[in-house]
Amino acid sequence: MTRIEATSSSNFIRHIIDEDIRSNKHAGRVATRFPPEPNGYLHIGHAKSICLNFGLAAEYNGTCNLRFDDTNPSKEEVEYVESIKEDVRWLGFDWHDRLYYASDYFEQLYAYAVQLIKKGKAYVCSLSADEIREYRGTLTEPGRDSPYRTRSIEENLDLFSRMRSGEFEDGAHVLRAKIDMAAPNMVMRDPTIYRIRKVFHHRTGDQWCIYPMYDFTHCLSDSIEGITHSICTLEFENNRELYDWVLDELGVDRHPQQIEFARLNLGYTILSKRRLIQLVEEKHVSGWNDPRMPTISGLRRRGYTPEAIRNFCERIGVARRDSVVDMALLEYSIRENLNRRAPRVMAVLRPLRVVIINYPEDRAEELKAVNNPEDPAMGTRNVPFARVLYIEQEDFREDPPKKFFRLAPGREVRLRYAYFIKCVDVIKDKHTGQVVELHCTYDPETKGGDAPDGRKVKATLHWVSAAHAIEAEVRLYDHLFSVPNPQDAKDGLDFKDHINPNSLETLTGCQLEPSLAQAAPGSRFQFERLGYFCVDAVDATNQRPVFNRTVTLRDSWAKIEKAQDHKH
Ligand code: ATP
Ligand code: MG
């Protein structure tokens, strides 16, 4: 069941900001930032954070910076930086001239580290990574002091500057904050704040071989940029103490407030760059922008609109408790948006030939069709009608079950915008027995869809004229994973063991009304009765149109049939 919640016009972060403005805490300023690490493409979880940070800034007449948290050079690439910029822009947000990189602050951060050492609050530790882990203790046991903890300030300064100049190999030394190895909060047990990494950085090249850690970099970057509210996800709650410790020890004059909120989790998919990258690299999907991916670029290619994603983010609200949001809510948001803006067209995905035996062979006529019943301003178009048509295979049953009201032998139905037709003969393949063609008659009196004698039909079918239709490939998508929470390791399986083998169905030979011949890449339509579709922006060409199904319409028949299956 989908719960569609009321739009949350208020959340706890707004309350904090309101209070800060009342007390004039940051001189009434609101400055936020979105701080992605450029180690993958953005996903819908990031959209929540983007909408929140840029949204609050807009609401309070403040600013929102885009800052790349690029302190982990081995995993970062220019491609990701560019994709992130594109996605933030596409979502409808603008950082104006406030584009920053944590790497811009490397020199300043180094100076801050030296300042900590001089204060006796940081030391060079020469334990190995394994030893550091071992000395750290556990949640129930305190850690032990590193034997290097008592190095003199002079020795620390000397070693740290030699770390910078490249004298030591990766892992030989780290710089650690000197806090408390018995602190109940494990984050405070002398955390590493610098490490040696002799790797090329996408912006600073080979200039640095020591790189600052997240906890040291993030708070100082926020402070340098004059951020007032540093909004992050709940897993950083324990890091807040360190965030504040670093800023307090360094005595910086701008001390932002870290505020945590619950990250977005979405059913039947995965929101983690680390895992999404595996799907890409191991070719379980065609790329970061595969329409099945929960990435912004995947959703865009699938046909999602920025409005739908923003509305979704507003609907899910911002809370401090973790939860899993139903995919149906995301689908609801795009349906609602496209219902108003997508033109209706007719397309037959699995064609069944229909010959109207009393319609002249040499004739064709143009019938008027409404482009969007929700918006008369979108006007009308003509669709060609002729003797040979295609309808959907599933709209015909030779032996119709009880509640099946569509076409069947001897039965009359309406063709949308056209005529009533009646099935008079069923042609089958001699060998397979499969229905290959229907012979129907049409009633010329019913043009436009109503019978002058008032007789009723129970179904209206979509159709295309065979002679006029254009052929296309259509891709239908299902959930990427076959279980609601593929990350749940309780079953002892890897998340990839839950990949849905039927998440992509490719249909070829689909027949589309001719107005779609000129459809631009990325343009979106409602295929009547079938769902919302968009022209694939990557694979579609003039010779070979490709459409992606963004989302289905609700299918009442599938529900009835399912309910019946359950009864039997
Ligand atoms: P991932 O686990 O996917 O790599 P991340 O947190 O490491 O995510 P970052 O690039 O560091 O990715 O994230 C940038 C910002 O987006 C951070 O402030 C982070 O808290 C936020 N964010 C990431 N994932 C989500 C999510 N699922 N819901 C809400 N915010 C998120
Ligand atoms: Mg991160």
Side-chain angles (χ1 to χ4, degrees):
M1 262 293 285
T2 328
R3 244 174 335 116
I4 310 294
E5 282 165 33
T7 300
S8 60
S9 58
S10 182
N11 66 47
F12 79 98
I13 301 180
R14 288 187 178 112
H15 292 162
I16 295 174
I17 295 177
D18 289 339
E19 191 45 45
D20 289 347
I21 290 173
R22 239 189 312 278
S23 67
N24 206 31
K25 185 171 171 190
H26 305 279
R29 246 172 9 100
V30 174
T32 59
R33 84 287 170 266
F34 173 63
E37 184 181 350
N39 61 348
Y41 282 60
L42 297 182
H43 52 63
I44 181 88
H46 295 113
K48 177 178 180 179
S49 176
I50 293 167
C51 290
L52 182 59
N53 280 294
F54 281 93
L56 287 171
E59 212 175 299
Y60 288 93
N61 235 330
T63 54
C64 181
N65 298 355
L66 174 61
R67 182 201 314 142
F68 287 101
D69 176 18
D70 56 349
T71 53
N72 194 2
S74 57
K75 291 185 182 164
E76 294 161 1
E77 282 177 33
V78 177
E79 177 196 347
Y80 300 140
V81 169
E82 292 310 315
S83 77
I84 289 169
K85 288 200 259 182
E86 181 185 357
D87 289 350
V88 173
R89 257 190 233 113
W90 179 79
L91 277 173
F93 299 103
D94 190 348
W95 54 87
H96 300 282
D97 56 351
R98 287 182 300 278
L99 173 63
Y100 300 105
Y101 294 84
S103 56
D104 292 340
Y105 312 134
F106 280 170
E107 197 62 57
Q108 208 168 342
L109 294 173
Y110 181 84
Y112 276 130
V114 168
Q115 192 183 327
L116 270 191
I117 295 173
K118 285 183 175 160
K119 218 185 152 193
K121 294 291 182 175
Y123 62 98
V124 173
C125 180
S126 311
L127 292 177
S128 69
D130 285 341
E131 286 166 329
I132 287 180
R133 210 169 301 122
E134 201 187 302
Y135 274 68
R136 217 166 151 234
T138 63
L139 282 173
T140 49
E141 288 162 59
R144 282 175 293 143
D145 284 0
S146 158
Y148 304 101
R149 203 175 197 264
T150 51
R151 272 179 171 148
S152 69
I153 290 174
E154 290 66 39
E155 193 184 356
N156 284 320
L157 287 173
D158 173 61
L159 282 170
F160 190 49
S161 92
R162 286 160 62 198
M163 279 167 66
R164 175 179 180 165
S165 61
E167 209 173 294
F168 310 113
E169 292 313 307
D170 289 13
H173 308 285
V174 294
L175 185 71
R176 299 176 69 175
K178 195 184 219 173
I179 308 178
D180 178 6
M181 287 307 291
N185 180 357
M186 304 264 295
V187 171
M188 300 301 279
R189 295 184 186 172
D190 291 10
T192 298
I193 57 176
Y194 263 91
R195 57 186 178 153
I196 303 171
R197 300 282 277 121
K198 293 196 166 167
V199 284
F200 184 85
H201 185 279
H202 73 114
R203 298 193 82 233
T204 58
D206 289 319
Q207 199 186 329
W208 291 89
C209 63
I210 55 171
Y211 291 96
M213 303 295 285
Y214 171 87
D215 283 314
F216 187 67
T217 310
H218 203 81
C219 53
L220 287 167
S221 304
D222 283 346
S223 171
I224 291 166
E225 291 173 18
I227 301 301
T228 55
H229 300 85
S230 177
I231 301 166
C232 64
T233 38
L234 275 176
E235 65 270 24
F236 292 102
E237 194 170 8
N238 287 338
N239 301 60
R240 191 190 334 132
E241 194 178 348
L242 180 54
Y243 185 104
D244 290 331
W245 183 92
V246 171
L247 298 182
D248 288 340
E249 289 299 335
L250 289 168
V252 296
D253 30 274
R254 296 193 291 197
H255 191 138
Q257 177 184 3
Q258 177 179 309
I259 304 168
E260 307 90 21
F261 72 100
R263 63 189 296 118
L264 169 66
N265 300 299
L266 197 57
Y268 293 94
T269 191
I270 286 246
L271 298 184
S272 148
K273 280 180 283 178
R274 189 168 56 80
R275 292 196 171 88
L276 292 174
I277 203 169
Q278 292 179 50
L279 297 179
V280 175
E281 284 176 353
E282 297 169 23
K283 304 216 183 314
H284 296 289
V285 293
S286 66
W288 284 100
N289 65 352
D290 187 303
R292 292 167 292 178
M293 290 280 271
T295 50
I296 307 293
S297 50
L299 291 166
R300 173 166 63 234
R301 187 171 166 196
R302 175 91 171 243
Y304 272 76
T305 61
E307 294 82 357
I309 295 176
R310 292 199 305 262
N311 289 344
F312 168 75
C313 291
E314 184 61 32
R315 270 192 193 103
I316 56 176
V318 177
R320 275 191 57 88
R321 195 157 34 90
D322 270 313
S323 65
V324 181
V325 173
D326 198 324
M327 188 67 101
L329 188 55
L330 183 60
E331 293 177 347
Y332 170 85
S333 298
I334 185 62
R335 263 191 214 109
E336 177 204 49
N337 188 237
L338 291 180
N339 181 39
R340 278 180 282 122
R341 58 190 277 178
R344 273 58 168 166
V345 291
M346 292 198 284
V348 174
L349 300 189
R350 298 173 182 88
L352 173 60
R353 229 174 108 90
V354 172
V355 180
I356 312 289
I357 53 173
N358 60 339
Y359 195 90
E361 239 164 274
D362 54 357
R363 197 166 131 203
E365 62 185 307
E366 297 278 328
L367 299 172
K368 199 182 203 183
V370 173
N371 286 337
N372 189 341
E374 300 288 321
D375 181 5
M378 288 173 75
T380 60
R381 70 189 184 288
N382 287 335
V383 288
F385 184 89
R387 181 180 161 93
V388 183
L389 311 172
Y390 290 118
I391 65 165
E392 212 65 65
Q393 284 168 20
E394 62 174 23
D395 281 339
F396 173 79
R397 292 278 182 100
E398 193 175 13
D399 188 13
K402 216 166 148 210
K403 286 184 182 163
F404 185 91
F405 299 120
R406 305 175 224 171
L407 200 57
R411 187 181 288 173
E412 190 169 51
V413 297
R414 176 189 294 110
L415 292 183
R416 183 91 159 134
Y417 302 121
Y419 299 97
F420 285 10
I421 60 163
K422 187 177 194 165
C423 177
V424 293
D425 206 358
V426 179
I427 316 297
K428 296 182 186 173
D429 182 291
K430 273 195 211 71
H431 306 289
T432 64
Q434 211 194 335
V435 177
V436 290
E437 186 174 298
L438 303 178
H439 287 178
C440 295
T441 54
Y442 88 114
D443 177 358
E445 298 296 313
T446 58
K447 183 165 178 173
D450 287 303
D453 65 7
R455 75 182 190 278
K456 300 282 178 217
V457 289
K458 282 192 168 157
T460 301
L461 310 185
H462 62 276
W463 54 275
V464 295
S465 160
H468 302 87
I470 55 166
E471 204 171 294
E473 176 177 319
V474 175
R475 298 169 183 173
L476 308 180
Y477 302 103
D478 194 359
H479 293 146
L480 189 47
F481 293 92
S482 42
V483 295
N485 183 5
Q487 270 182 96
D488 186 2
K490 266 186 234 129
D491 51 15
L493 295 174
D494 181 71
F495 76 97
K496 281 174 284 176
D497 295 326
H498 298 298
I499 291 176
N500 174 6
N502 305 313
S503 59
L504 167 64
E505 184 180 2
T506 303
L507 303 175
T508 53
C510 306
Q511 303 290 332
L512 277 42
E513 70 166 66
S515 74
L516 285 167
Q518 307 309 324
S523 52
R524 308 173 183 92
F525 301 89
Q526 184 191 101
F527 289 3
E528 293 214 19
R529 301 176 61 230
L530 298 172
Y532 293 97
F533 292 74
C534 95
V535 182
D536 190 273
V538 178
D539 294 335
T541 63
N542 279 344
Q543 287 71 41
R544 197 182 72 120
V546 177
F547 282 80
N548 297 319
R549 183 162 66 193
T550 311
V551 68
T552 56
L553 305 171
R554 258 139 302 173
D555 181 356
S556 52
W557 172 247
K559 268 187 215 141
I560 294 170
E561 203 158 43
K562 225 183 201 163
Q564 284 175 344
D565 281 351
H566 284 303
K567 266 185 240 153
H568 298 308

